[in-house]
Amino acid sequence: MTIEALAALPPDEARADFTASELLAVMSARLLKDGQTVFAGVGIPLLAAILAQRTHAPGLTILFEGGVIGPFVVPGRLPPSTNEQRCARRANMLVSITEVLLLLQRGYVDVGFMGGAQIDRYGNLNSSFIGDADKPRIRLPGTGGGNDIASLADMIVAMRHEKRRFVEKVDFITSPGFLDGGDSRAASGLPAGGMFRVVTDLGILGFDAQTRAMMVVALHPGVSAAQIQANTGFPLPVPADVAVTEPPTPVELTILRELDPERLYTA
């Protein structure tokens, strides 16, 4: 069935099964807007950015920290790294990593999009290590350009919602969120950017405008307030009138599965 035919199906016939990773990609894609410029890492962030381009945001520009601006990613040929040649196909520009980060510093990037191993109530991300800094139990990939991006752009984070990931205090701040809450981010010399949304397989999270503490913006269908709190390591406010997201559509899932036919990132 073509994408046009899938889009014409009535809602009752259009319901489809999906994985948690597909849910993350679809919900993240819906947060991106036409005309924005987004720093996207590989995996779910890149899938979400391409999905947004092919549904509601054809004017979305993707940047890779390796220096690629405006690439076309061929369906079924997803790059394993942002420094791989598949990232550069039909790109608008190829510049150095310092030049692409200079665009970020000058305010030309709207959204940074990444994942992380741990996140705390103020949106600080850890992708460096788990445990004590002098003797970590687990070593993680580290920052790459994550710190620069989180310091200067509005951030969207996509990750599984587990208590071991949503912790009271991250073991290390790789990418700054709102630090200790309130105005502590600006007071530390970071007047721009900050955490915008955290997308999980249980809901969509935002941050209080004053305290900068994490709160629930929307729950996914079938998820309760008690369930999302039970999977969070700190108090997570849920408004009484909290919204419920619309599940992924067959069109969105078809595009994702064309992009990732081997289910490398969406299984």
Side-chain angles (χ1 to χ4, degrees), residues 18-35:
F18 47 84
T19 67
S21 295
E22 288 173 333
L23 178 65
L24 287 179
V26 169
M27 296 300 162
S28 301
R30 292 177 183 175
L31 294 174
L32 298 172
K33 299 176 182 175
D34 195 25

Side-chain angles (χ1 to χ4, degrees), residues 121 178 195-199 203-209 212-218 236-237:
R121 68 168 60 197
F178 293 111
M195 281 292 161
F196 172 57
R197 290 289 183 269
V198 181
V199 181
I204 298 176
L205 314 171
F207 295 85
D208 182 86
R212 298 300 191 181
M214 192 182 293
M215 58 185 293
V216 176
V217 172
L236 186 62

Side-chain angles (χ1 to χ4, degrees), residues 25 40-50 78-82 256 260 264-266:
V42 295
I44 296 297
L46 179 56
L47 283 170
I50 301 172
L78 293 172
S81 149
T82 56
L256 280 181
D260 186 18
L264 297 175
Y265 301 107
T266 55

Side-chain angles (χ1 to χ4, degrees), residues 15 28 30 51 80 109 134 167 181 196 198 202 219 221 223 236-237:
R15 293 196 180 100
S28 301
R30 292 177 183 175
L51 176 60
V109 178
D134 295 326
V167 296
F196 172 57
V198 181
L202 298 182
L219 296 171
V223 176
L236 186 62

Side-chain angles (χ1 to χ4, degrees), residues 125-226:
L125 270 179
N126 175 19
S127 56
S128 295
F129 59 83
I130 302 296
D132 185 83
D134 295 326
K135 197 173 182 180
R137 289 186 287 110
I138 300 173
R139 290 188 182 278
L140 301 168
T143 178
N147 185 285
D148 302 74
I149 297 168
S151 295
L152 296 165
D154 289 337
M155 289 292 300
I156 297 175
V157 171
M159 60 195 297
R160 297 290 183 96
H161 205 130
E162 302 172 321
K163 204 164 190 174
R164 62 174 181 159
R165 295 178 181 273
F166 284 74
V167 296
E168 177 72 32
K169 188 175 180 62
V170 293
D171 292 351
F172 182 79
I173 298 178
T174 310
S175 304
F178 293 111
L179 299 177
D180 296 319
D183 63 355
S184 60
R185 179 183 170 96
S188 298
L190 300 175
M195 281 292 161
F196 172 57
R197 290 289 183 269
V198 181
V199 181
T200 81
D201 50 331
L202 298 182
I204 298 176
L205 314 171
F207 295 85
D208 182 86
Q210 299 300 318
T211 68
R212 298 300 191 181
M214 192 182 293
M215 58 185 293
V216 176
V217 172
L219 296 171
H220 298 323
V223 176
S224 68

Side-chain angles (χ1 to χ4, degrees), residues 26 28-38 46-62 71 110-111 252 255:
V26 169
S28 301
R30 292 177 183 175
L31 294 174
L32 298 172
K33 299 176 182 175
D34 195 25
Q36 285 184 322
T37 301
V38 57
L46 179 56
L47 283 170
I50 301 172
L51 176 60
Q53 283 181 326
R54 298 187 183 185
T55 51
H56 62 279
L60 183 78
T61 299
I62 298 173
D110 299 299
V111 178
E252 292 167 325
I255 294 172

